[in-house]
Amino acid sequence: MNFCRWLFCAFLICFLPFSASAKIYTTPILAEAHDLLQTSPEKSLRITDRYLQQRRMSDQSENSRVHVNDDADHSVRTPLNTVNAMQIKARAHSLLNQPDRAISTIKKAIKLAQENDLEFTIIETQLIYSKIYWENLQNSVLALKLLDNIDNTISQSEPLKLTKQVKVLQYETLLQRAVIESAVGTEEKAEKLFSKAKRLLTNLDNTTALIEYQLTLGQHYLLYNHYDLALDRLLSGYWLSVEEDNKAQTAVANLGLATLFEQRSVFDKALEHATQAGEFFEHFKRTQPLAKTLALIASIYEQQGRYNLALVHYFNALDQESQLKHDGRSSQLYLNIARVYLQLYNYPKAEQYLQQARQMAKKSGNEALNADTLLLEGKLQLAEGHIAKAISTLQSGLLAASRIGQLNLQLQGEVILSQAFEQNGDYYNALLSQRRYEQLFERQQKTQLKSNVEVFKQQQRMMERSLMLEELERQQFESEKALYQQQQVSIFLISLLLVVSIVLWRRHCVANMLQNRFKQLRTEFYTHPRSGLRNLRMLNARLPDSLQQSSANFEQWHLGDIINEPLSDRLRFALIEIPFLKHIYLERGYQQGLEMERQLGAYFQNEVCKPARLYHFSDAMFLYIEPNSRLNSEPSQLADSIQQLIDGFIADRHIDNKVRIGMAEYPFLPRAYTAINDQELIDILLMATNAARLNNKKEQGSQWVHLSAIDAAPAASFASDNIRKACIQGINNGLVKVQASTRLEFCWNNDHDSDDQVNKIL
């Protein structure tokens, strides 16, 4: 990586603590820790660690009574504050060049936010995760992938789109994406992203974010040698930060301006800004940006020919980078020191540091640094008189530089190689090297000319826009003056109309919202949460009315108020127990169990057509109701149709298809339509289903039991507080007919005995 791109990444890393817009923390401790990120990440890390260790996480029962700012109880911390603390901790680790700890901490924060359904905080944490991947590991692929996930989450969440905070996240995501695209070399794509971010920035009204945008865009222009545009943006950010008295952003602006002036060879201004930035970073012990500032100051001294001062600052920067264990930047500093020693004709020292730079460059795999090392090695060999070695080394360095497209290194190498050929007496190759240098220099001049043309065009557009803006402002002033009188007359009527419209619109929106909410709550109230079928609440609400209406029709027919017997009002009930629903959760897990029950509910909704109805009675039991107009239909027909329904669902799922069915009709007593109510009828169905279940233990396959009273059954036989005991007595007395899928004898006394035991206990 060349020196300009290296300083660009350095600037971005310096800017990391300030890249997020102002965030309000509900806990003063976390607010203090966040503010210290700009100056003392070590202290910020200690504060967050102490906060997480001294306070315990509040449980679900405590969340409702813990005050949002934690003033109610200083011994607990809410999930939101815990995630915020982890975010600050991860950013502190990132600033201290501890990427492994930063990634581990931010992963824990994401997991905790997901467990507590903190949707906005999840996205906010993922953005920090992306920045860590880019700033610390330079992993653009994973960083962009995380940014894509953030964009997808925001686009799919309608509630998030309505919040103002999500606009801040969208702006930060665009800016982070633009920074990455700029660093990897896609200039046009980066500028489009910067333009999109600018449009979002105009709606945020955040000065800190505006300073950040100006400085970041200035560094982008500087990276691609658009010096005039870079100067405009960096100076704008610098004076805004000075006006806001934001010393941290002022230091970052100073570093950017120093880099710009150094590249334009304005060394006095570059040294002034770099010194101011270095004083800030040294005062607050910001090791990482201080090392980069010292390296920049050393480069300025080196270009001025003040080699001793350059060596002092290079060594100081090397000490800082050694503490941070940055092999790539340390190898660049070793190379710079070797180059300065070569200028001082201290060849042994130059060879010593060049060898260290070469070893570290090979270890890091930085091709640009390898090429630069080979060129400097060839220059050293040429100075020592080893011309043949120098020519071979320089050719290898030029080949590496051309392979990665480093034009500046190619220009330097061709000059040195031409000198080497000339000293060796090979004037033909020396001339060829000189011609290649001229061709490369001409290409560089064309690139710079094209850049200057683009800058001139942009300046022209800016001037035209400025003149147009002045003319528009003048016209606006005249129009406002002419319309002032009319506005005063009509303002009252417009205001009144606006207020009335707002009130009516508001009432309409509230009414629609409440109506939709009522429909949603009603649907959820009467729907089973797993299967989506009508639940027991719906059954309890509708069954009594349905049976009462059916009984009323029968009474009218019996009294002669209606002529034809209302056979269509007779109902057949089937209580279905599906055993595999009880076992599917244990056998296949919770998620597959939920999915199976959801699919079964959808299947029943499609297969069961009106006027038949199906209710989800309990976990594995369903109540099926259909009109029973054909009195001579056998119960086995209904049982077979239910079995076919279950078999159609199971199909290739390899699940036990047996079911247990209890059946009965309403009215249960042909001579007393209202003698048995809805709850007693359900109790009879439960008795029948239980009998089918007991038979299923003795015989394999599905079982069904059908209970029906004989036509002559008197109502007095069932006039009891315990319908189950009355039915058992009716079965023993022959008043209740039992039909079943098996010929096994039923043991109803067990049920009766258990009821007696319950009555004794009560």
Side-chain angles (χ1 to χ4, degrees), residues 711-731:
D711 293 340
S717 300
F718 296 89
S720 172
D721 293 337
N722 192 332
I723 190 63
R724 298 172 69 93
K725 185 183 295 184
C727 281
I728 293 173
Q729 292 176 356
I731 293 171

Side-chain angles (χ1 to χ4, degrees), residues 501-519 521:
S501 300
I502 291 175
V503 171
L504 293 176
W505 176 80
R506 175 62 180 169
R507 290 175 61 86
H508 177 71
C509 291
V510 171
N512 286 340
M513 181 185 68
L514 292 177
Q515 185 176 6
N516 293 334
R517 182 61 177 165
F518 175 74
K519 290 180 180 178
L521 291 175

Side-chain angles (χ1 to χ4, degrees), residues 112-246:
L112 181 59
Q114 291 173 343
E115 290 174 353
N116 290 273
D117 295 329
L118 304 174
E119 188 174 4
F120 178 82
T121 309
I122 293 172
I123 301 175
E124 187 180 49
T125 311
Q126 287 177 339
L127 180 59
I128 298 174
Y129 193 12
S130 171
K131 290 180 180 179
I132 293 172
Y133 260 123
W134 169 244
E135 301 296 347
N136 292 91
L137 303 177
Q138 295 295 297
N139 193 330
S140 60
V141 177
L142 289 178
L144 289 173
K145 183 177 179 181
L146 287 169
L147 293 177
D148 291 337
N149 293 337
I150 293 173
D151 291 338
N152 292 335
T153 303
I154 294 175
S155 63
Q156 295 173 4
S157 178
E158 293 298 331
L160 273 179
K161 292 180 182 179
L162 301 177
T163 61
K164 182 180 180 181
Q165 291 83 354
V166 80
K167 300 297 182 183
V168 178
L169 282 180
Q170 289 176 326
Y171 161 74
E172 293 180 1
T173 303
L174 280 174
L175 190 63
Q176 179 69 14
R177 194 185 294 274
V179 167
I180 296 174
E181 296 293 348
S182 175
V184 300
T186 52
E187 179 183 3
E188 293 183 0
K189 190 173 182 180
E191 290 188 358
K192 290 180 180 178
L193 291 169
F194 276 120
S195 298
K196 291 181 180 178
K198 178 66 179 297
R199 288 195 291 269
L200 288 177
L201 180 62
T202 55
N203 298 324
L204 296 183
D205 192 22
N206 190 313
T207 307
T208 303
L210 177 60
I211 298 172
E212 170 198 3
Y213 176 82
Q214 297 284 7
L215 297 180
T216 307
L217 185 57
Q219 284 295 325
H220 164 74
Y221 287 137
L222 179 59
L223 179 63
Y224 291 96
N225 301 325
H226 304 314
Y227 297 114
D228 293 336
L229 295 174
L231 180 62
D232 177 61
R233 297 297 180 180
L234 291 174
L235 280 176
S236 298
Y238 173 78
W239 289 114
L240 274 175
S241 61
V242 171
E243 182 180 350
E244 294 293 322
D245 195 24
N246 192 325

Side-chain angles (χ1 to χ4, degrees), residues 411-424:
L411 288 170
Q412 297 174 17
E414 292 293 352
V415 171
I416 304 172
L417 184 60
S418 177
Q419 295 175 0
F421 280 129
E422 186 176 355
Q423 292 184 21
N424 198 32

